[in-house]
Amino acid sequence: MEYIDIYTAQRTLTGRTAVRGTVLGDGEYHLIVHAALFNAEGKLLIQRRQPFKKGWPNLWDLTVGGAVSAGETSAQAIVRELEEELGLCWDLQGEPPCMSLTFDHGFDDIYLLRGEVDIRALRLQREEVAEAKWATQAEVAQMLSDGTFIPYHESLIALLFAMREKIGGLRAE
């Protein structure tokens, strides 16, 4: 059984945990992480979820994502997810997420990563990932439009592509 930490709306740990998948009560939040890995060509590494996955089966998604386990930081969780789902060893060197979004009963920490990865060298987690590939912003937008990508806001995907060179609210110069 996997446990998650419970946070307040101000993202303070409560000291309580819950079994992953438990419906949280009012004022209770949990933490989810996502990584968007871009290569030098500006393409995003995306993965297709297995058809037997409970949530968003057979849809394409960002590079990796998942729940933060009890006792983990979001950085530790994203490093774990990269290793588990794709077999990638990544050192964040204490880097914070590029952004954190709030949703009903949770926070999404999103990490932007840059690097070259050979798709053929990935070790896909059979329980989670059906396949992986590099995609342009236009290709991801098309997948969003035709319903084959998890239904993120198109503007969020555009923002991730825009921020891939320089994290923050100001354009790279």
Side-chain angles (χ1 to χ4, degrees), residues 95-106:
E95 290 182 38
C98 77
M99 69 178 79
S100 185
L101 305 171
T102 304
F103 64 94
D104 291 341
H105 296 290

Side-chain angles (χ1 to χ4, degrees), residues 10-154:
Q10 290 73 39
R11 201 170 164 150
T12 303
L13 282 167
T14 65
R16 298 188 327 267
T17 60
V19 174
R20 183 177 174 190
T22 300
V23 176
L24 298 178
D26 290 341
E28 294 182 328
Y29 296 82
H30 70 287
L31 186 54
I32 302 291
V33 291
H34 304 274
L37 172 61
F38 291 92
N39 66 13
E41 296 176 31
K43 292 183 178 180
L44 172 63
L45 181 62
I46 61 175
Q47 64 157 284
R48 188 171 56 81
R49 297 167 62 85
Q50 287 286 10
F52 50 79
K53 287 282 296 174
K54 183 178 180 184
W56 311 111
N58 219 32
L59 294 185
W60 288 92
D61 195 357
L62 299 175
T63 308
V64 295
V68 176
S69 297
E72 276 186 320
T73 65
S74 80
Q76 290 168 332
I78 205 62
V79 167
R80 175 181 50 77
E81 292 290 344
L82 285 161
E83 172 67 28
E84 285 177 359
E85 293 184 11
L86 301 177
L88 293 174
C89 294
W90 211 271
D91 181 6
L92 290 176
Q93 300 178 11
E95 290 182 38
C98 77
M99 69 178 79
S100 185
L101 305 171
T102 304
F103 64 94
D104 291 341
H105 296 290
F107 305 102
D108 277 320
D109 277 359
I110 302 173
Y111 289 83
L112 288 180
L113 309 174
R114 286 175 283 295
E116 299 303 315
V117 172
D118 182 353
I119 296 290
R120 298 166 300 187
L122 295 176
R123 292 187 328 269
L124 306 181
Q125 184 182 23
R126 192 189 66 73
E127 300 82 12
E128 300 271 340
V129 183
E131 64 181 304
K133 68 178 182 177
W134 291 103
T136 65
Q137 184 175 350
E139 290 167 331
V140 174
Q142 182 59 50
M143 288 183 225
L144 283 166
S145 177
D146 65 24
T148 59
F149 205 92
I150 289 180
Y152 295 106
H153 292 285
E154 190 171 341

